[in-house]
Amino acid sequence: MAKEFKPSVVTANDLIEGDSVFLGALGWVRDIAEARVALSRDEAEVLEADGVAGEDANIVVGPYLIEVSVATGRPVPVLRRERIRVSGVPTIPFGVAAPAERRAA
Amino acid sequence: MYRYDEFDRRFVDERVAEFRDQVERRLTGALNEAEFKPLRLMNGLYLQLHAYMLRVAIPYGTLNGRQMRMLAHIAETWDKGYGHFTTRQNIQYNWPKLKDVPDILEALATVEMHAIQTSGNCIRNITSDPFAGVAPEEIEDPRITAELLRQWSSLHPEFTYLGRKFKFAVTGSEHDRAAIKVHDIGIQIVRGEAGEVGYRVLVGGGMGRTPMIAKELRAFLPKADLLPYVEAILRVYNLHGRRDNKYKARIKILVHETGIDAFRDQVEREFATMDRAAVTAPEGEMERIAAYFAPPELTEKPSAPVAFERMKTLDPDFAQWVERNTSAHRVPGYVAATISLKPIGGVPGDATAEQMRAMADLAESYSVDEMRITHEQNVVLPHVALGDLYKVYRGLAAIGLEAPNKGLVTDIIACPGLDYCALATARSIPVAQAISKRFASNKRQREIGPLSIKISGCINACGHHHIGHIGILGLDKAGVENYQITLGGESTEDAALGQRLGPGFGYDELPDVIEKIVDIYLDLRQGRRETFLQTYRRVGMEPFKEALYATAD
Ligand code: SF4
């Protein structure tokens, strides 16, 4: 049996900046809240094709579909990996913030 | 240390110019990602979870103050102000922008550094003993051999596109601090029967999803035969290694499937029939390289200067740091000092630009302008006079890098894991931080004694979990992070692969689980001098298994 369909968005890395981007109504956006959400398999196929077009146009790298939950209105990825990507940063204080926080602790 | 000659300089400059052109063509769309990806990988540029990642080579882990300052400058100018030192003695930047990478490479080239051979299916940056040229028992500085191999491999067209990546490590001491037994080719400098210097050659070690301990290919290889012999190995690998399956393409699989004796026959046959003269290093080349690694002229000094002894009495924290973080030097009155990049709760291997500059200052003032990066993700100041040690210690304390924990339970190795890495199945850094905080007390750490914890965020094993006394491998089980634990791994001359304890544990359980393992060890050990590894080897897995799984519901 085919896997149950879950709402999905298309994500990729920006070609120049390298950060996570999402396919929105008018192009690639950095806030997943503005991402187009596919609610059916057919919509997902269209979305995916649009993502690939973004790679062909050299705007993004490696587009792929991720499953999201839309319970709160804002799409939240199902997988931890994608949630971390969406946040745009590690789950821990990093770089110059890291040692300072440790000293304060 | 090694300085570029005209040839090296031209080679690196040309590569920078070439990559600048490739990036430009990528940005204008003349190259698509499929065309560009292999090119960027050849220049150390990956695409990770949140950004591009640039891996910069630090050949055999050696660098000077000027180079470290440049690493700091790059971190501040084109990244977020820090870098990550890896288990391959390299540094990684986590946030570069594609358009800036050519400028970064150009900046690196001004201090004779680059990102070549840090990625892709080539012979990778060659690693070595962080105490090279320092350790009293060393036969010869292994970096001379490492540099010879680097030159041979950098320019070798035949080996630029191997079936898979290929890693060398070289040690000049019997005590192996370069983990040569888990490399594709491990080289140990040894003495022959007549006292002449040569090599013991190991082959087929590695980690990843199919970990193996390297096997001995040659007990003694005359020095002059090194390049033809490794070339013979590479040729046999190139000819017979599998290219149909990425997971079976490493030489360890070939050696394992062929059997070491049959593999040796093939290599020896190739070696016997090849045109060795065409490959052998030109007369005088080894001497030319050796001159760069001539030991610095250090004047012998008292082995217990009065001021040093007094400071140890006055400042017990300093005394602890000296005891843990300094190692013997071949010249009396000096030590090699290890700067732990593992402050309690920190990110293993990370250093900020400010810390890099401070380390560069200390190296320039007190360590003949030299530093080493270790595969334990620490930094070594290799030549510090005892009389200067307190100043070094205070300098480190000022930047929060005075942890006296070298080789102890909080000296944890961790790969970037799911916080950065696109391949990760679970996080490793926060796991390391939680364990580090749990064992924060110096007193307790010293009571426990030598214990290495190594954490990888996926089966690729960049965090060397297979050779940790306690290894932790982060996996994904139906969307939940799950950590498999191995015990009894070891990286040195008596290298061993850790054995699986049993079913994995959840993220939140880990500090408790590790603490339990440590407590069982403390309970079972025969006296304080029996290390964790010795106890494990004596009692085996059972007592640990029992305590951890029997009580669970
Ligand atoms: S072990 Fe896996 S998660 Fe860790 S750095 Fe390597 S590839 Fe990434």
mmCIF file of all heavy atoms in Angstrom, chain B residues 48 55 92 414-418 420-426 428 455-465 473-474, ligand 1:
data_model
loop_
_atom_site.group_PDB
_atom_site.id
_atom_site.type_symbol
_atom_site.label_atom_id
_atom_site.label_comp_id
_atom_site.label_asym_id
_atom_site.label_seq_id
_atom_site.Cartn_x
_atom_site.Cartn_y
_atom_site.Cartn_z
ATOM 1 N N GLN B 48 26.273 21.709 3.438
ATOM 2 C CA GLN B 48 25.780 21.039 4.644
ATOM 3 C C GLN B 48 24.342 21.429 4.954
ATOM 4 O O GLN B 48 23.649 21.970 4.105
ATOM 5 C CB GLN B 48 26.707 21.366 5.819
ATOM 6 C CG GLN B 48 28.086 20.738 5.690
ATOM 7 C CD GLN B 48 28.069 19.232 5.916
ATOM 8 O OE1 GLN B 48 27.078 18.543 5.639
ATOM 9 N NE2 GLN B 48 29.172 18.699 6.396
ATOM 10 N N ARG B 55 36.464 22.882 4.194
ATOM 11 C CA ARG B 55 37.437 22.145 4.991
ATOM 12 C C ARG B 55 38.837 22.509 4.515
ATOM 13 O O ARG B 55 39.174 22.326 3.351
ATOM 14 C CB ARG B 55 37.200 20.651 4.857
ATOM 15 C CG ARG B 55 38.084 19.826 5.771
ATOM 16 C CD ARG B 55 37.811 18.341 5.624
ATOM 17 N NE ARG B 55 36.493 17.981 6.110
ATOM 18 C CZ ARG B 55 35.801 16.934 5.646
ATOM 19 N NH1 ARG B 55 36.295 16.179 4.681
ATOM 20 N NH2 ARG B 55 34.621 16.644 6.131
ATOM 21 N N GLN B 92 37.413 23.195 9.856
ATOM 22 C CA GLN B 92 36.231 23.401 9.026
ATOM 23 C C GLN B 92 35.566 24.720 9.380
ATOM 24 O O GLN B 92 35.433 25.055 10.558
ATOM 25 C CB GLN B 92 35.227 22.259 9.236
ATOM 26 C CG GLN B 92 35.741 20.940 8.741
ATOM 27 C CD GLN B 92 34.804 19.760 8.920
ATOM 28 O OE1 GLN B 92 35.142 18.660 8.514
ATOM 29 N NE2 GLN B 92 33.646 19.957 9.522
ATOM 30 N N ALA B 414 33.852 14.574 19.290
ATOM 31 C CA ALA B 414 32.507 14.520 18.701
ATOM 32 C C ALA B 414 32.542 15.132 17.309
ATOM 33 O O ALA B 414 33.162 16.170 17.093
ATOM 34 C CB ALA B 414 31.515 15.259 19.587
ATOM 35 N N CYS B 415 31.884 14.492 16.391
ATOM 36 C CA CYS B 415 31.749 15.062 15.051
ATOM 37 C C CYS B 415 30.645 16.126 15.097
ATOM 38 O O CYS B 415 29.943 16.234 16.085
ATOM 39 C CB CYS B 415 31.385 13.961 14.064
ATOM 40 S SG CYS B 415 29.648 13.504 14.142
ATOM 41 N N PRO B 416 30.464 16.898 14.044
ATOM 42 C CA PRO B 416 29.435 17.952 14.082
ATOM 43 C C PRO B 416 28.008 17.411 14.228
ATOM 44 O O PRO B 416 27.142 18.081 14.790
ATOM 45 C CB PRO B 416 29.615 18.668 12.741
ATOM 46 C CG PRO B 416 31.043 18.398 12.362
ATOM 47 C CD PRO B 416 31.324 17.009 12.862
ATOM 48 N N GLY B 417 27.758 16.207 13.721
ATOM 49 C CA GLY B 417 26.443 15.600 13.899
ATOM 50 C C GLY B 417 25.315 16.425 13.297
ATOM 51 O O GLY B 417 25.535 17.302 12.458
ATOM 52 N N LEU B 418 24.131 16.143 13.783
ATOM 53 C CA LEU B 418 22.934 16.726 13.163
ATOM 54 C C LEU B 418 22.795 18.243 13.388
ATOM 55 O O LEU B 418 21.919 18.880 12.828
ATOM 56 C CB LEU B 418 21.690 15.990 13.677
ATOM 57 C CG LEU B 418 20.366 16.212 12.939
ATOM 58 C CD1 LEU B 418 20.503 16.021 11.439
ATOM 59 C CD2 LEU B 418 19.290 15.280 13.478
ATOM 60 N N TYR B 420 24.993 20.271 12.301
ATOM 61 C CA TYR B 420 25.583 20.874 11.110
ATOM 62 C C TYR B 420 25.547 19.985 9.873
ATOM 63 O O TYR B 420 25.522 20.465 8.750
ATOM 64 C CB TYR B 420 27.072 21.191 11.355
ATOM 65 C CG TYR B 420 27.356 22.279 12.345
ATOM 66 C CD1 TYR B 420 27.661 21.984 13.664
ATOM 67 C CD2 TYR B 420 27.350 23.616 11.955
ATOM 68 C CE1 TYR B 420 27.948 22.988 14.577
ATOM 69 C CE2 TYR B 420 27.649 24.631 12.856
ATOM 70 C CZ TYR B 420 27.953 24.311 14.174
ATOM 71 O OH TYR B 420 28.237 25.306 15.067
ATOM 72 N N CYS B 421 25.657 18.663 10.096
ATOM 73 C CA CYS B 421 26.036 17.783 8.992
ATOM 74 C C CYS B 421 24.814 17.239 8.245
ATOM 75 O O CYS B 421 23.875 16.721 8.854
ATOM 76 C CB CYS B 421 26.855 16.621 9.542
ATOM 77 S SG CYS B 421 27.322 15.450 8.276
ATOM 78 N N ALA B 422 24.861 17.325 6.939
ATOM 79 C CA ALA B 422 23.734 16.895 6.104
ATOM 80 C C ALA B 422 23.553 15.375 6.133
ATOM 81 O O ALA B 422 22.470 14.872 5.838
ATOM 82 C CB ALA B 422 23.938 17.374 4.674
ATOM 83 N N LEU B 423 24.585 14.642 6.483
ATOM 84 C CA LEU B 423 24.487 13.182 6.468
ATOM 85 C C LEU B 423 24.062 12.602 7.814
ATOM 86 O O LEU B 423 23.800 11.412 7.931
ATOM 87 C CB LEU B 423 25.842 12.573 6.080
ATOM 88 C CG LEU B 423 26.406 12.995 4.729
ATOM 89 C CD1 LEU B 423 27.838 12.496 4.576
ATOM 90 C CD2 LEU B 423 25.536 12.476 3.593
ATOM 91 N N ALA B 424 24.014 13.441 8.818
ATOM 92 C CA ALA B 424 23.823 12.951 10.186
ATOM 93 C C ALA B 424 22.471 12.286 10.390
ATOM 94 O O ALA B 424 21.480 12.644 9.763
ATOM 95 C CB ALA B 424 23.971 14.104 11.166
ATOM 96 N N THR B 425 22.463 11.322 11.316
ATOM 97 C CA THR B 425 21.205 10.713 11.727
ATOM 98 C C THR B 425 20.820 11.145 13.138
ATOM 99 O O THR B 425 19.701 10.905 13.575
ATOM 100 C CB THR B 425 21.297 9.179 11.655
ATOM 101 O OG1 THR B 425 22.602 8.768 12.093
ATOM 102 C CG2 THR B 425 21.099 8.693 10.236
ATOM 103 N N ALA B 426 21.770 11.724 13.861
ATOM 104 C CA ALA B 426 21.474 12.182 15.222
ATOM 105 C C ALA B 426 22.477 13.252 15.621
ATOM 106 O O ALA B 426 23.512 13.415 14.986
ATOM 107 C CB ALA B 426 21.547 11.011 16.201
ATOM 108 N N SER B 428 25.408 14.951 17.887
ATOM 109 C CA SER B 428 26.513 14.488 18.730
ATOM 110 C C SER B 428 27.005 15.566 19.685
ATOM 111 O O SER B 428 27.376 15.256 20.806
ATOM 112 C CB SER B 428 27.692 13.952 17.914
ATOM 113 O OG SER B 428 27.648 14.335 16.592
ATOM 114 N N ILE B 455 32.180 10.234 19.861
ATOM 115 C CA ILE B 455 30.780 10.269 19.423
ATOM 116 C C ILE B 455 30.661 10.606 17.935
ATOM 117 O O ILE B 455 31.213 11.601 17.474
ATOM 118 C CB ILE B 455 29.989 11.328 20.226
ATOM 119 C CG1 ILE B 455 30.259 11.165 21.732
ATOM 120 C CG2 ILE B 455 28.504 11.229 19.924
ATOM 121 C CD1 ILE B 455 29.650 12.272 22.582
ATOM 122 N N SER B 456 29.940 9.789 17.196
ATOM 123 C CA SER B 456 29.647 10.079 15.790
ATOM 124 C C SER B 456 28.144 10.243 15.614
ATOM 125 O O SER B 456 27.361 9.524 16.232
ATOM 126 C CB SER B 456 30.099 8.933 14.874
ATOM 127 O OG SER B 456 31.473 8.667 15.044
ATOM 128 N N GLY B 457 27.774 11.150 14.712
ATOM 129 C CA GLY B 457 26.358 11.397 14.457
ATOM 130 C C GLY B 457 25.787 10.545 13.342
ATOM 131 O O GLY B 457 24.616 10.693 12.971
ATOM 132 N N CYS B 458 26.590 9.651 12.798
ATOM 133 C CA CYS B 458 26.081 8.665 11.850
ATOM 134 C C CYS B 458 27.146 7.606 11.618
ATOM 135 O O CYS B 458 28.268 7.715 12.101
ATOM 136 C CB CYS B 458 25.629 9.300 10.523
ATOM 137 S SG CYS B 458 26.954 9.609 9.345
ATOM 138 N N ILE B 459 26.774 6.624 10.836
ATOM 139 C CA ILE B 459 27.613 5.455 10.593
ATOM 140 C C ILE B 459 28.964 5.797 9.940
ATOM 141 O O ILE B 459 29.892 5.017 9.983
ATOM 142 C CB ILE B 459 26.799 4.461 9.725
ATOM 143 C CG1 ILE B 459 27.445 3.092 9.661
ATOM 144 C CG2 ILE B 459 26.549 4.995 8.346
ATOM 145 C CD1 ILE B 459 27.024 2.238 10.804
ATOM 146 N N ASN B 460 29.089 6.992 9.366
ATOM 147 C CA ASN B 460 30.363 7.348 8.733
ATOM 148 C C ASN B 460 31.518 7.475 9.717
ATOM 149 O O ASN B 460 32.680 7.483 9.315
ATOM 150 C CB ASN B 460 30.224 8.641 7.933
ATOM 151 C CG ASN B 460 29.406 8.402 6.684
ATOM 152 O OD1 ASN B 460 29.494 7.340 6.067
ATOM 153 N ND2 ASN B 460 28.582 9.369 6.325
ATOM 154 N N ALA B 461 31.200 7.629 10.987
ATOM 155 C CA ALA B 461 32.204 7.505 12.043
ATOM 156 C C ALA B 461 33.288 8.579 12.053
ATOM 157 O O ALA B 461 34.411 8.327 12.464
ATOM 158 C CB ALA B 461 32.852 6.103 11.992
ATOM 159 N N CYS B 462 32.957 9.792 11.615
ATOM 160 C CA CYS B 462 33.943 10.878 11.699
ATOM 161 C C CYS B 462 34.339 11.138 13.152
ATOM 162 O O CYS B 462 35.412 11.672 13.412
ATOM 163 C CB CYS B 462 33.399 12.162 11.089
ATOM 164 S SG CYS B 462 32.843 11.951 9.400
ATOM 165 N N GLY B 463 33.466 10.808 14.071
ATOM 166 C CA GLY B 463 33.780 10.993 15.487
ATOM 167 C C GLY B 463 34.535 9.805 16.076
ATOM 168 O O GLY B 463 34.724 9.729 17.289
ATOM 169 N N HIS B 464 34.987 8.880 15.203
ATOM 170 C CA HIS B 464 35.861 7.759 15.607
ATOM 171 C C HIS B 464 35.276 6.899 16.732
ATOM 172 O O HIS B 464 36.007 6.381 17.566
ATOM 173 C CB HIS B 464 37.235 8.285 16.058
ATOM 174 C CG HIS B 464 38.033 8.908 14.956
ATOM 175 N ND1 HIS B 464 39.300 9.419 15.160
ATOM 176 C CD2 HIS B 464 37.761 9.106 13.651
ATOM 177 C CE1 HIS B 464 39.768 9.907 14.020
ATOM 178 N NE2 HIS B 464 38.853 9.728 13.084
ATOM 179 N N HIS B 465 33.950 6.752 16.750
ATOM 180 C CA HIS B 465 33.360 6.027 17.881
ATOM 181 C C HIS B 465 33.857 4.587 18.011
ATOM 182 O O HIS B 465 33.924 4.051 19.103
ATOM 183 C CB HIS B 465 31.826 6.055 17.794
ATOM 184 C CG HIS B 465 31.273 5.343 16.607
ATOM 185 N ND1 HIS B 465 31.148 5.934 15.372
ATOM 186 C CD2 HIS B 465 30.841 4.067 16.452
ATOM 187 C CE1 HIS B 465 30.643 5.054 14.519
ATOM 188 N NE2 HIS B 465 30.449 3.921 15.144
ATOM 189 N N LEU B 473 27.346 5.999 18.949
ATOM 190 C CA LEU B 473 26.937 6.201 17.556
ATOM 191 C C LEU B 473 25.475 6.621 17.529
ATOM 192 O O LEU B 473 24.603 5.880 17.996
ATOM 193 C CB LEU B 473 27.128 4.889 16.777
ATOM 194 C CG LEU B 473 26.414 4.806 15.425
ATOM 195 C CD1 LEU B 473 26.941 5.869 14.458
ATOM 196 C CD2 LEU B 473 26.583 3.419 14.804
ATOM 197 N N GLY B 474 25.236 7.800 16.988
ATOM 198 C CA GLY B 474 23.868 8.314 16.944
ATOM 199 C C GLY B 474 23.136 7.838 15.699
ATOM 200 O O GLY B 474 23.608 8.020 14.583
HETATM 201 S S1 SF4 C 1 29.969 10.922 11.363
HETATM 202 FE FE1 SF4 C 1 28.198 11.334 10.084
HETATM 203 S S2 SF4 C 1 27.195 12.997 11.179
HETATM 204 FE FE2 SF4 C 1 29.262 12.958 11.924
HETATM 205 S S3 SF4 C 1 30.352 14.410 10.619
HETATM 206 FE FE3 SF4 C 1 30.628 12.340 9.751
HETATM 207 S S4 SF4 C 1 29.057 12.219 8.208
HETATM 208 FE FE4 SF4 C 1 28.459 13.891 9.561
#
